[in-house]
Amino acid sequence: MAIGGENRADCKKQLSESGQLMQSGAMQAHHQKFIRSMFRQSPVIGVLDPDDVDLLFQAANVRSFARRGALGYPGEQSRYLFLVMSGQAELTTGSAEGGEVTIATFGAGSWVNWLAVLDPIETEREFQVIAGSTLITFPSALVRTIMNRNQAAYGPLYLELGKRFRAIMKWMEHTALSRDTQRLANLLVMLVKVGGDGHAPHIARLSQQQLARLSGCTRQTLNIRLGQLAKIGLIKTGYGRVTVPDLQALARFAAAT
């Protein structure tokens, strides 16, 4: 059932009939506390009418993944906006020959799949979730209806999407013009800006295998370049992640001529 009535009463009725309205006790207290906290931090949710914020809260559902799983496949219509509570979501793309590359990662506190709210078309890429992750889901049609009632919410959303787009464009520019280590630095800056929540510590959550494939080099070559960046204090490497202590310093290094 499509969720998206013209008024709040219609929305609540549709949610109840579809089983998407959160029943009392359906979520544990720490889930509810996390959602309320992320609502307060979100510049998009922050401008919504309080009644609509409450409606969005009631529509939330928890999904936990004991093993790696998919949130959606290419060719399917995106039906949900996701909020990562723990673990990690990954945006991947693949070739007809079976090759796969991770092009963005989203850690705890990240909102994932705003495009499903803006444009409910068939997705061209696949979202994966790593084992042990917990996500909060919101019906994208309901979010779209609420956004349309609260037009001011589109401003901060477009601003956030614009920042991600500029980061991707900057990465493309430096990929063509920079030296190898600078290209890696710029890739890390892009990954942090696209998949991060904007707060320190800034983390690019990819394994070395994923990062090497995205960089177009071998793991051995990647290790050398990561070591060069770590030696001058621009990054810290760890299992499945690269931490950037000072994002602006890394960006300056990437842009240096």
Side-chain angles (χ1 to χ4, degrees):
M1 175 183 293
I3 305 298
E6 290 299 322
N7 55 56
R8 295 184 185 92
D10 288 341
C11 288
K12 288 184 178 180
K13 180 180 179 182
Q14 292 177 29
L15 284 167
S16 180
E17 291 174 349
S18 66
Q20 294 181 35
L21 182 61
M22 187 181 71
Q23 302 299 320
S24 177
M27 282 191 180
Q28 298 182 23
H30 69 283
H31 295 135
Q32 299 182 25
K33 182 178 180 180
F34 172 77
I35 295 170
R36 290 296 191 190
S37 174
M38 296 310 302
F39 277 9
R40 288 192 295 270
Q41 295 179 42
S42 169
V44 178
I45 307 300
V47 299
L48 299 180
D49 182 278
D51 288 339
D52 281 324
V53 174
D54 184 61
L55 180 59
L56 192 61
F57 179 80
Q58 292 180 67
N61 275 300
V62 177
R63 290 186 62 184
S64 297
F65 296 80
R67 58 180 62 87
R68 187 177 180 87
L71 296 177
Y73 296 98
E76 295 181 349
Q77 187 175 21
S78 297
R79 297 176 54 201
Y80 295 98
L81 173 68
F82 303 96
L83 174 60
V84 182
M85 182 173 181
S86 63
Q88 178 174 301
E90 300 175 349
L91 179 61
T92 64
T93 189
S95 66
E97 293 75 24
E100 181 181 279
V101 63
T102 300
I103 55 180
T105 61
F106 305 89
S110 298
W111 293 87
V112 182
N113 207 25
W114 277 110
L115 289 181
V117 175
L118 296 175
D119 192 3
I121 62 173
E122 294 180 352
T123 181
E124 298 177 356
R125 292 164 188 85
E126 182 174 326
F127 280 109
Q128 293 277 341
V129 185
I130 67 172
S133 297
T134 298
L135 273 64
I136 312 298
T137 69
F138 305 89
S140 56
L142 172 67
V143 180
R144 189 181 312 115
T145 297
I146 290 175
M147 295 280 288
N148 288 338
R149 280 202 297 263
N150 298 264
Q151 291 287 312
Y154 282 108
L157 176 56
Y158 289 147
L159 180 62
E160 176 59 29
L161 295 178
K163 290 179 181 177
R164 296 182 181 185
F165 179 75
R166 285 193 295 273
I168 294 172
M169 293 299 294
K170 183 67 70 174
W171 169 59
M172 294 176 65
E173 173 187 332
H174 286 289
T175 296
L177 301 175
S178 303
R179 298 187 299 272
D180 292 339
T181 305
Q182 285 181 295
R183 282 199 292 269
L184 176 59
N186 195 64
L187 173 61
L188 293 171
V189 171
M190 185 274 291
L191 290 170
V192 167
K193 288 186 175 181
V194 170
D197 59 7
H199 303 291
H202 303 288
I203 300 173
R205 298 175 175 85
L206 280 87
S207 68
Q208 288 195 4
Q209 180 178 352
Q210 291 173 316
L211 196 54
R213 180 167 292 182
L214 192 55
S215 301
C217 65
T218 65
R219 289 183 61 178
Q220 290 80 2
T221 299
L222 175 70
N223 279 326
I224 292 173
R225 295 172 185 171
L226 288 173
Q228 291 170 338
L229 293 175
K231 186 176 181 179
I232 56 179
L234 291 176
I235 65 168
K236 296 178 181 179
T237 58
Y239 181 75
R241 63 176 54 195
V242 177
T243 301
V244 182
D246 187 337
L247 186 60
Q248 293 304 316
L250 185 63
R252 287 193 296 271
F253 174 85
T257 58

